[in-house]
């Protein structure tokens, strides 16, 4: 028997006091713990901090074994790694028997770090191994995802959450230096979503920058590509490598990948009840993503972490046709009454028009069909689209396009195509009441700035330009006007 390998050195651990002391307590009573959480959240950091705790050290001494499982493809390879960590000869028929025999004699703590890799490939054998180890020693397992593996129950389960902004700041300043405690730091850290790996790599990226502002600019243009150091070829050196490992996880299904691609385009996620509308097997895909720690539920919506979203949106965006198919269903929901009115038209339309209308409660878009009734043009209202701020707005993350206008444009175009007639939507981007109707279109004059057709009846303080362009010019003027001297 050789010497057991050294534990890797501890790293600084911030913001985990209560969860760390719970893991330490469990180790001291020789109970097993499984630490779960999304990629880069600090599972390994926490297990190492617990193993290095002075009381744990006093209890187990050198019999604290740290087994890296990220390179193991099955249970036998985990056993080989364990034997190496314990200093047992790797040759021999019954390596597991030899490990268990040795573990039984004196209290030992075995940490299987990143056990998700072998477990996702060789689940049953790994669970059998976890069971054996739990009976003979204290086991501390860290795994990506939120799924408790079999074999270790009953176990203390720890699910790691994001770091608070305060802790993220402490971690950042520890790595970057206190002088970067500047107002621009909080919003930048906020975008890291409390992921320690990202915070650490962001602090590192600062080394090549002249200031926090230039780092923030780089982050805005390059996003997760900034979050790497050195060769960036290991999950600890690059957020993208870390996330790609989860994307390729053996337990990811192709529909889970599709759903994650869709979620990457939905900053506020999707209402859980609509997940199956996004994808036929959406419920199953959502459950895979939750178990892998790649999506979570919040206030009735399925969402993903902002960094995962940024990465997947760039590396694995949904195909345009797939995306269009998925959101068409959502556009259909609020436009349903309009489509029904169009289907019930008895006179053939000659055009479909969409016009803004507003009052003190907000803007909306009227959709109408211009029909020929007894040979004369007449208007048939198809419906009013307003207040669609809910789910559809989230497909855009911002306005414009206004969700009401987007739905109106989609439904109007579809109805017009159906009847093979023109679709008239003179102000498709911004709300504007002073546009000519389809039958008056020859009377319109283009806005002097953006060119949309206008029909401004009576006196108008911004004659010749549309309301939006008028607002924009007023804003510019205000910006140029110096504040009054005191
Ligand atoms: N609470 C923390 N305080 C300080 N640094 C931390 C903390 N948590 C994690 N880190 C640092 O962030 C990096 C990523 O953490 P860690 O490797 O523990 O994450 P992980 O959840 O194990 O990731 P993976 O899912 O890839 O296994 C490491 O360099 C780690 O030291
Ligand atoms: Mg880890």
């Amino acid at each position: 028997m050789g010497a057991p390998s050294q534990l890797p050195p501890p790293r600084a651990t911030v913001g985990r006091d209560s969860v760390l002391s719970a893991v330490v307590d469990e180790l001291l009573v020789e109970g097993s713990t499984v630490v779960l959480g999304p990629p880069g959240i600090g599972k390994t950091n926490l297990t190492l901090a617990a193993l290095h705790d002075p009381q744990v050290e006093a209890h187990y001494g050198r019999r604290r074994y740290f087994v890296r499982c990220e390179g193991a493809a099955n249970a036998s390879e985990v056993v080989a790694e364990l034997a190496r960590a314990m200093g047992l000869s790797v040759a021999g028929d019954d390596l597991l028997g030899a490990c268990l025999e040795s573990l039984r004699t004196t209290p030992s703590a075995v940490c299987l770090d990143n056990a998700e890799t072998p477990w996702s490939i060789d689940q049953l054998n790994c669970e059998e191994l976890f069971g054996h180890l739990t009976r003979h020693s204290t086991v501390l397992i860290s795994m990506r995802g939120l799924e408790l593996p079999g074999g270790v129950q009953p176990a203390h389960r720890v699910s790691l959450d994001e770091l608070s902004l305060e802790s993220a700041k402490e971690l950042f300043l520890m790595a970057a230096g206190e002088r970067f405690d500047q107002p621009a730091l909080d919003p930048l850290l906020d975008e890291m979503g409390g992921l320690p790996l990202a915070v650490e790599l962001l602090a590192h990226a600062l080394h090549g920058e002249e200031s926090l502002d230039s780092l923030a600019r780089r982050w805005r243009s390059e996003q997760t590509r900034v979050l790497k150091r050195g060769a960036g070829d290991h999950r600890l050196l690059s957020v993208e490598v870390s996330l790609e490992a989860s994307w390729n996880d053996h337990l990811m299904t192709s529909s889970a990948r599709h759903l994650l691609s869709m979620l990457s385009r939905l900053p506020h996620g999707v209402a859980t009840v609509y997940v199956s509308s996004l994808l036929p097997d959406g419920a199953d895909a959502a459950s895979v993503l939750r178990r892998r720690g790649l999506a979570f539920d919040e206030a009735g919506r399925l969402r993903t972490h902002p960094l995962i979203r940024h990465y997947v949106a760039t590396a694995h965006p949904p195909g345009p046709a797939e995306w269009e198919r998925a959101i068409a269903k959502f556009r259909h929901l609020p436009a349903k009454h309009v489509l029904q009115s169009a289907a019930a038209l008895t006179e053939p339309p000659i055009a479909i028009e969409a016009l803004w209308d507003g009052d003190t409660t907000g803007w909306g878009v009227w959709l109408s069909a211009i029909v020929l009734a007894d040979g004369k043009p007449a208007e048939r209202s198809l419906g009013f689209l307003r207040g669609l701020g809910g789910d559809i707005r989230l497909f855009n993350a911002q306005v414009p396009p206004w969700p009401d206008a987007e739905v109106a444009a989609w439904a109007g175009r579809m109805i017009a195509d159906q009847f093979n007639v023109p679709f008239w939507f003179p102000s498709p981007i911004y709300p504007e009441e002073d546009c000519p109707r389809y039958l008056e279109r020859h009377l319109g004059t283009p806005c002097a700035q953006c060119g949309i057709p206008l029909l401004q009846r009576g006196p108008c303080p911004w004659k010749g330009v549309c309301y939006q362009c008028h607002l924009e010019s007023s804003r510019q003027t205000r910006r140029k006007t110096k504040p009054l001297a005191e």
Side-chain angles (χ1 to χ4, degrees):
M1 178 157 170
S5 40
Q6 291 274 332
L7 279 186
R11 315 207 34 171
T13 302
V14 302
R16 299 287 193 214
D17 290 353
S18 65
V19 71
L20 177 59
S21 79
V23 176
V24 166
D25 288 349
E26 199 64 27
L27 282 171
L28 293 177
V29 298
E30 298 178 13
S32 294
T33 302
V34 180
V35 180
L36 298 167
I41 197 75
K43 302 175 292 294
T44 301
N45 180 293
L46 184 81
T47 56
L48 277 174
L51 289 174
H52 279 285
D53 176 87
Q55 295 179 76
V56 173
E57 186 179 355
H59 191 89
Y60 294 102
R62 293 198 72 182
R63 298 178 69 85
R64 290 166 294 152
Y65 305 120
F66 187 81
V67 184
R68 290 184 201 281
C69 301
E70 64 193 56
N74 54 42
S76 312
E77 291 186 20
V78 176
V79 175
E81 278 301 314
L82 170 64
R84 240 190 299 277
M86 293 175 69
L88 295 177
S89 156
V90 174
D93 289 346
D94 187 12
L95 202 49
L96 176 60
C99 290
L100 296 178
E101 187 56 39
S102 167
L103 290 172
R104 193 178 6 226
T105 50
T106 329
S108 310
V110 174
C111 174
L112 301 180
D113 190 47
N114 282 101
E116 74 282 351
T117 310
W119 178 74
S120 66
I121 305 170
D122 187 19
Q123 187 168 347
L124 293 178
N125 286 325
C126 281
E127 293 183 351
E128 205 176 300
L129 173 63
F130 300 161
H132 284 308
L133 292 175
T134 317
R135 272 193 301 284
H136 293 81
S137 61
T138 302
V139 176
L140 179 57
I141 296 181
S142 92
M143 285 179 99
R144 274 190 179 189
L146 290 179
E147 192 172 357
L148 201 59
V152 270
Q153 288 95 341
H156 174 216
R157 172 201 168 115
V158 170
S159 295
L160 283 186
D161 288 329
E162 295 84 21
L163 290 181
S164 65
L165 184 58
E166 202 186 4
S167 300
K169 199 164 168 176
E170 190 182 335
L171 174 55
F172 184 90
L173 295 176
M174 227 158 57
E178 289 293 328
R179 68 185 187 288
F180 290 107
D181 190 0
Q182 300 165 9
L185 182 57
D186 282 12
L188 189 56
L189 282 181
D190 210 31
E191 301 205 37
M192 300 303 113
L195 200 71
L197 175 65
V199 173
E200 202 177 70
L201 293 174
L202 185 75
H204 200 271
L206 196 51
H207 296 321
E209 294 299 318
E210 55 176 305
S211 66
L212 206 53
D213 285 341
S214 71
L215 177 64
R217 276 197 300 279
R218 254 192 86 201
W219 159 252
R220 275 196 295 276
S221 71
E222 296 177 36
Q223 304 264 285
T224 47
R225 262 181 297 145
V226 175
L227 304 175
K228 70 169 194 183
R229 70 188 170 95
D233 54 357
H234 184 275
R235 55 165 118 186
L236 280 181
L237 299 177
S238 154
V239 162
E240 298 200 334
V241 170
S242 172
L243 297 179
E244 186 64 16
S246 276
W247 177 265
N248 290 320
D249 183 327
H250 274 79
L251 296 178
M252 281 286 276
T253 57
S254 81
S255 57
R257 290 194 184 101
H258 275 146
L259 182 58
L260 192 58
S261 294
M262 307 262 187
L263 286 176
S264 78
R265 295 277 302 269
L266 305 170
H268 302 273
V270 60
T272 323
V273 290
Y274 291 148
V275 167
S276 305
S277 307
L278 270 184
L279 271 188
D281 46 1
D284 198 44
S287 141
V288 173
L289 292 182
R290 286 188 194 102
R291 279 183 275 138
R292 310 285 17 97
L294 296 175
F296 57 92
D297 295 275
E298 192 176 80
R301 308 185 72 81
L302 183 74
R303 303 182 54 179
T304 187
H305 189 279
L307 288 180
I308 300 181
R309 192 161 58 70
H310 286 311
Y311 174 63
V312 176
T314 313
H316 306 287
E322 178 189 30
W323 174 246
E324 195 44 48
R325 226 181 3 259
I327 62 167
K329 293 182 190 150
F330 285 83
R331 287 178 173 147
H332 186 272
L333 294 175
K336 208 167 167 183
H337 66 289
V338 171
L339 299 179
Q340 278 166 351
S341 312
L345 283 172
T346 50
E347 301 127 318
I350 54 168
I352 303 296
E353 70 175 15
L355 293 163
W356 289 95
D357 193 6
D359 59 24
T360 51
T361 59
W363 287 97
V365 181
W366 277 108
L367 267 182
S368 310
I370 312 299
V371 298
L372 280 183
D374 298 329
K376 291 202 188 113
E379 179 201 327
R380 301 284 178 258
S381 165
L382 297 175
F384 191 43
L385 293 165
R386 181 160 82 169
L388 307 180
D391 289 306
I392 195 79
R393 179 185 294 267
L394 308 181
F395 285 113
N396 310 305
Q398 68 213 149
V399 287
W402 295 76
D404 316 79
E406 242 220 324
V407 175
W410 173 81
R413 163 73 43 216
M414 192 161 99
I415 299 167
D417 285 353
Q418 207 175 311
F419 290 103
N420 204 14
V421 296
F423 175 49
W424 177 248
F425 192 1
S427 177
I429 310 288
Y430 292 106
E432 173 58 64
E433 261 181 331
D434 289 336
C435 285
R437 313 200 56 165
Y438 176 73
L439 295 173
E440 300 169 316
R441 62 195 185 287
H442 57 285
L443 302 176
T445 50
C447 161
Q449 284 178 27
C450 72
I452 67 161
L454 294 173
L455 189 55
Q456 292 165 321
R457 296 166 228 258
C460 171
W462 48 89
K463 200 101 183 150
V465 292
C466 71
Y467 183 59
Q468 185 62 34
C469 291
H470 157 73
L471 276 184
E472 194 44 43
S473 331
S474 317
R475 262 184 227 125
Q476 305 265 358
T477 315
R478 269 202 305 278
R479 265 183 224 130
K480 279 188 207 135
T481 313
K482 287 199 179 128
L484 290 176
E486 287 183 9

